[in-house]
Amino acid sequence: MKNTKLTNVKALEMVLAMEEVQNNTELVEKLENMKAQFEKKNASRANGEKKPTKTQLENMELAEQLKELLTEEPQPQKELQVQIEVATSQKMTAIVKILVEQGVAVKETIKGVASVKLA
């Protein structure tokens, strides 16, 4: 027998199946609303639907600015960081990562210096 986890939805279904609960229409209505809320929450989690955070939105805007500065020749990431006025190298790495994931840019290391160019 397989051990299955008792989730909130399963627990509510079990309670709703009880005869004593079925006799109280107000309670049934409340429990069904709770079940619907859990199912909605679980569905959005499963689909990966998340709103981007404020920082992610800001990084996307900066990634667009960076895209305009990129050329076919590799440019040191530090120089690009200064041009788009990014305070830290960690933030710059996050911005470059966005473009690399989109397939717009390529990040490479030349003589120990992180460089970025158009893909």
Side-chain angles (χ1 to χ4, degrees), residues 24-86:
N24 186 338
T25 56
E26 189 177 336
L27 180 58
V28 168
E29 188 178 313
K30 178 70 174 175
L31 292 173
E32 285 176 346
N33 285 339
M34 288 172 63
K35 181 182 168 208
Q37 288 174 336
F38 281 119
E39 288 172 335
K40 181 180 176 185
K41 183 178 178 183
N42 291 341
S44 69
R45 221 182 257 162
N47 296 337
E49 295 174 18
K50 287 187 176 179
K51 290 183 181 178
T53 64
K54 180 181 172 188
T55 304
Q56 288 171 327
L57 291 172
E58 183 181 310
N59 286 352
M60 285 184 224
E61 289 176 24
L62 290 168
E64 290 300 315
Q65 291 177 21
L66 177 61
K67 190 180 354 179
E68 294 172 13
L69 297 175
L70 294 178
T71 63
E72 296 292 325
E73 292 297 315
Q75 299 175 57
Q77 190 170 311
K78 281 277 189 197
E79 288 179 16
L80 294 168
Q81 179 179 336
V82 171
Q83 290 179 28
I84 62 170
E85 300 173 1
V86 173

Side-chain angles (χ1 to χ4, degrees), residues 96-109:
V96 169
K97 183 179 177 184
I98 292 170
L99 293 179
V100 170
E101 287 174 351
Q102 291 175 353
V104 174
V106 176
K107 183 177 179 179
E108 51 190 45
T109 305

Side-chain angles (χ1 to χ4, degrees), residues 11-22:
L12 287 169
E13 287 173 348
M14 292 168 72
V15 172
L16 283 167
M18 293 178 182
E19 199 172 309
E20 304 85 37
V21 174
Q22 289 296 321

